[in-house]
Amino acid sequence: MSADHRFTDATALAQAFSTGEADPTEAMQAALERMERLHPALNAVIHPRPERALAEAEASAQRWSRRRADGDALGDMSDTGVPFDGVPMAIKDLGCEQAGEFHHAGARFLVDLGWRGSLDSHLYGLLRGAGLVSVGRTNTPEFGTTITTEPDAYGPTANPWSLGRSPGGSSGGSAAAVAAGIVPVAHGNDGGGSIRVPAAACGLVGLKPTRGRASTAPRLGEHRGGFAVDGMLTRTVRDAARCLDIISRPAPGDPYIAPPLGPDESFAGALTVPLPPLRIAVSTGSPGRASPPVRRAVEQAADLLARLGHRIEPDTAPDGWFSAELADHTIVVRTVGMATELAGWEERLGRPMTSDDVEPANWWSAELGASLPASMYVQALEELARWRRRVMAFWNADAPTGTNTPEGDGFDLLMTPVLADVTPPLGYLADPADGARRIAELAAFVNQANVSGQPAISLPTAVDADGLPLGVQLHAAHGGERLLLAVAQQISNADGFISLGDLPPESP
């Protein structure tokens, strides 16, 4: 973006469009220029669409001009919805299918085929309906199965805060594009921390919505045991809220439906609702699970919440939150999911998949999943359902979000780290000998919300001694995004965020 708008959020940029202070065509030209200039350093947007993006931005500029002429431009954005007409965005190259656009999911065999989407997904239709304009699709690890973005097919994406560091994954390309000032918002999805991890690594707001909040229609249904949900990476809480208002539209036949909002409620509207004192549990896991800088970041955020009037209870987490058996059962679901993914491609391509088609870790996962009996998969789902009911008793059903869960232990929120340490160097998590162990240690705080289906948000509240961002994570009860966003806005208003404008000199 231009010097004036490079780190402007989507809400402010749309406001500038509405008043004529900024022009969608010029903003898109600046975004495309920055995307092209930074690509050699970042490798974030791997499928740019400059001609189509510019044409769509020009159409947006004409619509804004007509609105201003008719007196319909929204100089004061409402809380019930914001027209992001002409605001640049990026789409992760995993899910969110776009008709005619490359869609490779980080997989070599799809690159070789030049595979393109054949339809617009329900989600992409909602984003385009809100006026957002995609600059292109972003890099992702193969099938999104890890928390760093280093696919063999496209090479690694760099973290704008430090180019030798991982941007996280699997929405790492999207996070890098937002953090580097290419776009103010970007699509991601989260099946095991894949929105929250890159948000923490890149100093962004990353909201994983409640299961079923964003539809996967029409292509996907029961995807990876229901662990994954789509969402957005943003610079501000208000953009996170307004993006959630845009994408929270179920489609007929969705296997999961999140608790609906009231007739006069919106996620953006929650940002201005006064909050009573909340009961917030805080946990950094067992001793040694989180590094000292991460523990300090969580403690500092907890101190801030205490100063805001909330009741903080340290060293407290739901019963079984860090259970080892959770990992055992999720491995079953994930490996069967990988086997199912490849079986689906076999059917679409009319040929068997081989070890030459996919990366070794995913081939191993698919072979293991294909070898497991169906009864083991069903048993794993049942065990995870029992775990989910056990941990849900922790949350307060009477929190100011209108959730409909049985009355629990009285906690409104749980705060934990996102990652157990600062984001590591590129290559550290992709190491073939030790990468799996390193990933398990670093990502010990994110899988729980995917299994439970709860909403969780990563907030950029601190930096370590080297100036690298650290994220803290808040979890709410099922359907509790309004509460998460309200508390996140409180933290933001209290100067509890790091600034993307303070990217270190090494960054692009």
Side-chain angles (χ1 to χ4, degrees):
M1 309 282 286
S2 69
D4 290 337
H5 295 293
R6 185 166 62 119
F7 293 118
T8 300
D9 74 352
T11 299
L13 190 58
Q15 287 174 327
F17 292 162
S18 75
T19 62
E21 177 188 349
D23 176 77
T25 304
E26 293 176 358
M28 180 57 69
Q29 288 172 331
L32 295 173
E33 183 277 331
R34 186 163 177 79
M35 177 180 70
E36 182 178 7
R37 179 166 58 84
L38 296 182
H39 181 71
L42 292 181
N43 192 33
V45 182
I46 55 172
H47 302 310
R49 56 192 301 273
E51 295 85 3
R52 281 162 289 180
L54 196 55
E56 291 170 14
E58 289 171 349
S60 296
Q62 294 171 7
R63 288 193 292 270
W64 277 117
S65 180
R66 289 194 296 269
R67 290 186 189 111
R68 287 193 296 271
D70 295 339
D72 292 336
L74 294 179
D76 180 19
M77 295 297 180
S78 72
D79 280 337
T80 56
V82 54
F84 282 158
D85 204 350
V87 171
M89 69 169 172
I91 300 293
K92 181 180 179 180
D93 194 29
L94 182 68
C96 201
E97 187 171 350
Q98 299 166 268
E101 303 284 353
F102 285 122
H103 192 175
H104 296 158
R108 292 192 305 268
F109 74 96
L110 292 175
V111 176
D112 293 342
L113 290 169
W115 194 266
R116 294 176 184 265
S118 59
L119 52 82
D120 281 345
S121 64
H122 179 77
L123 176 61
Y124 184 64
L126 293 175
L127 294 170
R128 283 294 299 126
L132 288 156
V133 178
S134 172
V135 300
R137 296 179 71 88
T138 61
N139 204 10
T140 180
E142 186 182 74
F143 297 117
T145 54
T146 186
I147 60 166
T148 187
T149 302
E150 305 178 51
D152 289 348
Y154 284 101
T157 293
N159 189 321
W161 287 80
S162 178
L163 297 179
R165 299 274 179 164
S166 170
S170 62
S171 306
S174 287
V178 176
I182 297 171
V183 292
V185 296
H187 159 260
N189 32 48
D190 192 317
S194 290
I195 288 174
R196 292 160 290 153
V197 167
C202 293
L204 304 175
V205 176
L207 173 63
K208 184 203 89 68
T210 295
R211 178 177 296 152
R213 187 69 75 191
S215 175
T216 56
R219 188 76 72 185
L220 299 174
E222 182 72 35
H223 185 54
R224 304 288 172 93
F227 292 172
V229 63
D230 287 277
M232 304 290 285
L233 291 122
T234 65
R235 296 174 187 154
T236 60
V237 176
R238 66 179 183 177
D239 276 3
R242 289 183 165 113
C243 285
L244 192 59
D245 279 322
I246 290 168
I247 68 175
S248 298
R249 307 284 176 84
D254 282 351
Y256 305 103
I257 302 293
L261 300 183
D264 298 321
E265 290 182 330
S266 68
F267 294 110
L271 304 186
T272 56
V273 174
L275 281 172
L278 301 173
R279 190 181 180 204
I280 302 175
V282 178
S283 177
T284 55
S286 58
R289 189 181 289 269
S291 70
V294 168
R295 290 200 304 273
R296 283 193 296 271
V298 173
E299 290 165 358
Q300 290 167 3
D303 288 344
L304 173 58
L305 288 169
R307 293 196 301 273
L308 291 170
H310 301 299
R311 176 182 169 187
I312 305 300
E313 299 194 19
D315 301 320
T316 304
D319 179 34
W321 195 250
F322 298 108
S323 169
E325 68 183 30
L326 183 66
D328 296 337
H329 298 310
T330 56
I331 286 173
V332 173
V333 176
R334 294 184 190 285
T335 57
V336 170
M338 191 71 251
T340 304
E341 183 98 36
L342 295 191
W345 281 109
E346 287 184 340
E347 184 175 346
R348 293 176 78 177
L349 300 180
R351 67 165 178 84
M353 301 294 292
T354 73
S355 59
D356 293 331
D357 291 314
V358 295
E359 295 177 17
N362 284 332
W363 182 251
W364 173 88
S365 177
E367 284 198 308
L368 175 59
S371 73
L372 301 177
S375 59
M376 182 177 289
Y377 179 76
V378 174
Q379 182 181 4
L381 292 178
E382 290 294 336
E383 292 292 341
L384 292 174
R386 282 189 279 273
W387 176 88
R388 186 161 53 245
R389 290 193 177 98
R390 178 169 47 148
V391 301
M392 286 297 182
F394 186 78
W395 273 270
N396 177 16
D398 296 325
T401 55
T403 56
N404 297 313
T405 53
E407 185 174 355
D409 292 343
F411 286 96
D412 299 302
L413 297 173
L414 168 67
M415 177 187 285
T416 71
V418 180
L419 292 169
D421 203 353
V422 69
T423 188
L426 288 167
Y428 179 83
L429 299 176
D431 179 79
D434 211 20
R437 180 190 61 81
R438 293 170 176 175
I439 290 168
E441 291 176 351
L442 192 63
F445 298 94
V446 291
N447 190 47
Q448 295 90 337
N450 296 102
V451 175
S452 70
Q454 294 170 257
I457 191 168
S458 174
L459 303 174
T461 61
V463 294
D464 78 342
D466 296 323
L468 295 171
L470 297 167
V472 301
Q473 181 175 206
L474 291 170
H475 305 75
H478 190 74
E481 290 98 327
R482 278 173 55 86
L483 180 60
L484 281 184
L485 290 161
V487 175
Q489 188 64 51
Q490 269 196 330
I491 295 172
S492 176
N493 292 343
D495 294 325
F497 279 12
I498 59 176
S499 171
L500 287 175
D502 295 330
L503 287 169
E506 181 187 350
S507 64

